[in-house]
Amino acid sequence: MRAHLPVSRFTPPTSPSFWRSPLRGPRLTALLGVVLLAGITLLFVTGLLSYAAYNPNLAGGVNDKTPDKGVLGFYLFAWPTGPHWLYRVTQGVHVTLGVALVPVLLAKLWSVIPKLFTLPPARSLGHALERLSLLLLVGGALFEFVTGILNIQLDYLFPGSFYALHFYGAWVFIGAFVAHVVLRMPRTVRALRERRDPEADADDTELVAREPAPPTVSRRGALWLAGGGSLLLLATTAGQSIGGWWRRTALLAPHGGADPGSGPNGFQINKTAAYAGIRPQDTGDDWRLTVEGGGRQVRLSRAELLRMPQHEAALPIACVEGWSTDDQLWSGVRLRDLAALVGLGERPPDVLVESLQLHGAFRRAALRANQVRDGRALLALRVGGAELSEDHGRPARIIVPAAPGVVNTKWVARLTFGELS
């Protein structure tokens, strides 16, 4: 007689019995959602501040790498030059918080994943809108967090420009986020008011397991796990923007980059001279700075620049990837003094800065008049009492308080003063 082996039945993820964790429920989802509501709101605000810091409407958008942005690229305000650490803080918060929220985001996605597989796809118009916002929310969140983390590591595995992809992705994500918050807020408030999961309504039944498996951890333990992961990422990332001794704690800080070496030029480098295609002959004795504006033009050698009044400013380099240097002591010629050479000394206008770099993003960058007029805004020739190294922009570079690192142009070849907006 032939023995009959038991036949296992495959349970598809569209079946409620597939999801058996006893931890899922409206209250857990609501708690994680409130944390993300606060965190993502702060991420969006600091992201808008980062966009404003580029002064995106200058020179036909030379600083803005998001073409055809239409109304989404509305101009916020002229980015200020003080306090000098402003961009260091806002972008440091943006990147560090984004990294720290990853465990909470993953926990939230885990808590609602059964909703992505429920059938029928829509039971009502409201349910259909919620499902659509959920799909856009999940897709947008994963896209924004993945591209952001890849960018801070300088791993551009995605096609196209990070600036454009992250910009448009952020608007899709925040639109879905706002819609989802509006649709879910009443149920979130109700779930948080109850010490235990309330009676689930028709749209929340899929969160509660019908055939729960034995628990391996409590809900409080799951929350501690997600929160502990976030705190660990915070502790191993934040030091890259705090600086000083704290930089040693930034084990997960954005990318290693080129080794800056030691001495006055021994601080972080994103783009080396070799990477930018700068040749030794380009920065040698034949180098000249061209200054234009007001219908006049002057050309200056480095020796002539050194004979002009020299000024000092202690300023950091703060980058969009979230890292920043400690304050470095820069010395050189004030931008407003260079504007005065072409007759624009009383109220210097905007300036277009062009680099010896022949290709790549931010080969040209624009600075607003309030930045030019700040006495700490320099065409720097030295740092820490030493000549600039080639990787830090020799023979001359821009340094402006509170500005993103990419508009502190290195290997400067030309300054064109005039109204650019």
Side-chain angles (χ1 to χ4, degrees), residues 77-197:
F77 49 82
W79 187 251
T81 57
H84 72 278
W85 40 257
L86 179 61
Y87 189 75
R88 178 180 183 176
V89 170
T90 60
Q91 193 61 13
V93 168
H94 184 76
V95 170
T96 303
L97 179 61
V99 172
L101 281 178
V102 168
V104 181
L105 175 67
L106 294 177
K108 179 64 159 49
L109 294 179
W110 173 86
S111 76
V112 300
I113 195 170
K115 295 174 73 70
L116 300 178
F117 293 92
T118 56
L119 294 176
R123 294 189 292 268
S124 65
L125 178 59
H127 185 246
L129 290 174
E130 183 183 346
R131 292 293 298 278
L132 178 61
S133 73
L134 185 62
L135 288 173
L136 291 175
L137 184 68
V138 171
L142 291 175
F143 181 83
E144 287 298 287
F145 276 80
V146 169
T147 55
I149 290 172
L150 287 174
N151 177 66
I152 64 177
Q153 298 295 339
L154 296 186
D155 291 329
Y156 299 115
L157 305 179
F158 41 83
S161 166
F162 165 77
Y163 297 95
L165 291 172
H166 204 66
F167 177 85
Y168 291 118
W171 282 111
V172 171
F173 170 59
I174 205 65
F177 180 72
V178 170
H180 190 73
V181 168
V182 171
L183 291 167
R184 292 292 306 181
M185 186 56 71
R187 277 167 279 177
T188 298
V189 172
R190 187 166 67 250
L192 291 175
R193 283 177 176 172
E194 301 290 336
R195 294 186 63 84
R196 305 174 70 177
D197 278 333

Side-chain angles (χ1 to χ4, degrees), residues 312-329:
E312 292 184 339
L315 301 173
I317 296 289
C319 200
V320 69
E321 288 95 7
W323 62 262
S324 60
T325 70
D326 296 327
D327 290 355
Q328 307 295 324
L329 185 61

Side-chain angles (χ1 to χ4, degrees), residues 3 7 41 48 55 80 103 118 121 137 161 172 230 237 258 282 290 296 311 327 339 345 363 398:
V7 178
T41 300
L48 284 180
N55 285 314
T118 56
L137 184 68
S161 166
V172 171
S230 289
T237 304
D282 297 330
T290 301
R296 298 171 61 182
H311 297 268
D327 290 355
R363 183 184 67 82
I398 297 294

